[in-house]
Amino acid sequence: MSNLTRRAAFALAGLAATTPALNTPAAAATDIRMALKPFACNLDTWFMDTPFAGRFALAAKIGFTQVEFWPVRRAKNEESMDATKARALLDSNGLTLTQYAPAAPNFSDPANHDALTAMIREAIADSAILGCKAITLVGHHIVDGMSREAMLSGYTTGLMRIAPLLEQAGLTALIEPFNTVNHQGHLLNGSRPAVAMLHAVNSPMIKLQWDFYHMQLEDGDLIEKFTAAIDQVGYVQLGDVPGRHQPGTGEVNHVNLLKAIRAAGYKGPMGLEYYPLDNDYKRAVSDAMALSIAAGFA
């Protein structure tokens, strides 16, 4: 709290003690929304004790204007959801969807490229309903019996195959590398193989999902690597190490990091794909506001 301005401290004082809903004067609520404006709340990692459909309202009440989530199509035995239902929830809560992650086939294996094409066509239709211009695309599990070179070739070829569809639709696919510490069994880890691959694909609609949680675990040297690869960055996500909790709970200096992100030329939203420490959403919002103010965004 020591890093907050008096204006932000006033706004935070209105947060309810035991619930993420706001109970603030209009001016205080405006201050919260302004401080949270650079961020998109991830609805799959926040408010996990609430059914998915109810998380839209919680994100709006707490002060977010942008959200992201994983798949939009959810099975009935989990919780029925599709693009039309999600769009209604977004609109009724005044929210914008920055990106989401449709389930992708493992297209490191060329045998799955037809399934990849079908999934992209479905995502294009869903994205038009959602009013969303970006999807996260993974699908790079290790394939038993295939060499790394063959898998890299298969994944690259798959991206080249879907590039014309994405370009025609104006939809960006965000390729997300993981890490080998707690996301074993994946082809793309850290920035280097993914950056090289995207240079080879050379499509304006295929970029990197730069998740700093994964990059810290796999690469380190966060600012220099991000700055060097800024031409291939399409979206940014945050999460501290260790624990994948909010910035300020771990080892990364996120104030310096966010200043460097903007200095490198990235002007888009930053996804908060982390698990608020102890499910304390009041503290998570306080920490996000403090970061925004200290980094000069609010």
Side-chain angles (χ1 to χ4, degrees):
M1 292 292 291
S2 61
N3 290 330
L4 294 178
T5 65
R6 184 176 302 173
R7 173 174 58 83
F10 168 70
L12 285 171
L15 284 170
T18 59
T19 148
L22 286 176
N23 181 21
T24 62
T30 299
D31 283 335
I32 293 172
R33 286 192 293 271
M34 287 299 296
L36 295 179
K37 188 176 180 180
F39 304 125
C41 177
N42 188 291
L43 297 185
D44 278 284
T45 60
W46 287 62
F47 317 122
M48 293 177 65
D49 53 350
T50 299
F52 182 73
R55 300 177 194 179
F56 293 78
L58 291 179
K61 287 178 181 178
I62 210 168
F64 288 103
T65 58
Q66 301 181 105
V67 295
E68 59 177 30
F69 48 72
W70 297 342
V72 66
R73 293 173 180 250
R74 296 173 185 244
K76 290 182 179 179
N77 59 357
E78 176 187 354
E79 187 175 354
S80 179
M81 182 64 61
D82 59 21
T84 300
K85 291 179 181 179
R87 179 60 187 266
L89 288 166
L90 291 165
D91 289 348
S92 64
N93 289 287
L95 296 168
T96 299
L97 180 64
T98 58
Q99 63 89 23
Y100 69 105
N106 187 11
F107 64 97
S108 301
D109 185 347
N112 292 325
H113 284 183
D114 285 347
L116 171 66
T117 300
M119 174 244 138
I120 290 296
R121 292 187 187 280
E122 181 178 84
I124 289 170
D126 284 346
S127 298
I129 294 170
L130 291 163
C132 185
K133 296 296 185 181
I135 60 170
T136 289
L137 186 61
V138 184
H140 53 72
H141 287 85
I142 297 295
V143 181
D144 290 341
M146 289 186 69
S147 68
R148 178 171 177 80
E149 291 72 19
M151 287 186 288
L152 287 169
S153 175
Y155 201 85
T156 304
T157 302
L159 293 177
M160 290 178 172
R161 178 170 173 173
I162 63 174
L165 296 174
L166 296 166
E167 290 165 11
Q168 184 177 9
L171 181 66
T172 298
L174 303 162
I175 309 307
E176 183 176 14
F178 290 152
N179 72 79
T180 54
V181 176
N182 53 31
H183 280 60
Q184 294 90 355
H186 290 274
L187 176 66
L188 300 179
N189 298 289
S191 61
R192 292 178 182 174
V195 169
M197 178 180 291
L198 264 63
H199 279 297
V201 172
N202 192 31
S203 169
M205 305 311 289
I206 301 179
K207 296 295 182 180
L208 285 178
Q209 163 76 274
W210 199 282
D211 186 324
F212 279 99
Y213 171 77
H214 293 306
M215 296 304 186
Q216 172 68 355
L217 285 173
E218 191 67 25
D219 285 355
D221 191 22
L222 295 178
I223 291 174
E224 287 195 9
K225 285 187 171 63
F226 179 83
T227 302
I230 186 61
D231 63 315
Q232 296 301 323
V233 175
Y235 193 80
V236 163
Q237 288 181 324
L238 305 176
D240 217 336
V241 175
R244 200 167 194 168
H245 302 305
Q246 64 262 36
T249 60
E251 66 191 22
V252 176
N253 185 332
H254 277 87
V255 174
N256 285 349
L257 181 61
L258 263 63
K259 289 179 178 178
I261 289 171
R262 289 297 194 241
Y266 179 79
K267 304 301 182 186
M270 291 170 279
L272 305 186
E273 193 192 36
Y274 53 68
Y275 301 92
L277 184 65
D278 298 326
N279 293 324
D280 185 343
Y281 303 114
K282 177 185 174 183
R283 176 183 172 182
V285 171
S286 300
D287 289 344
M289 289 182 65
L291 175 61
S292 180
I293 292 164
F297 297 157

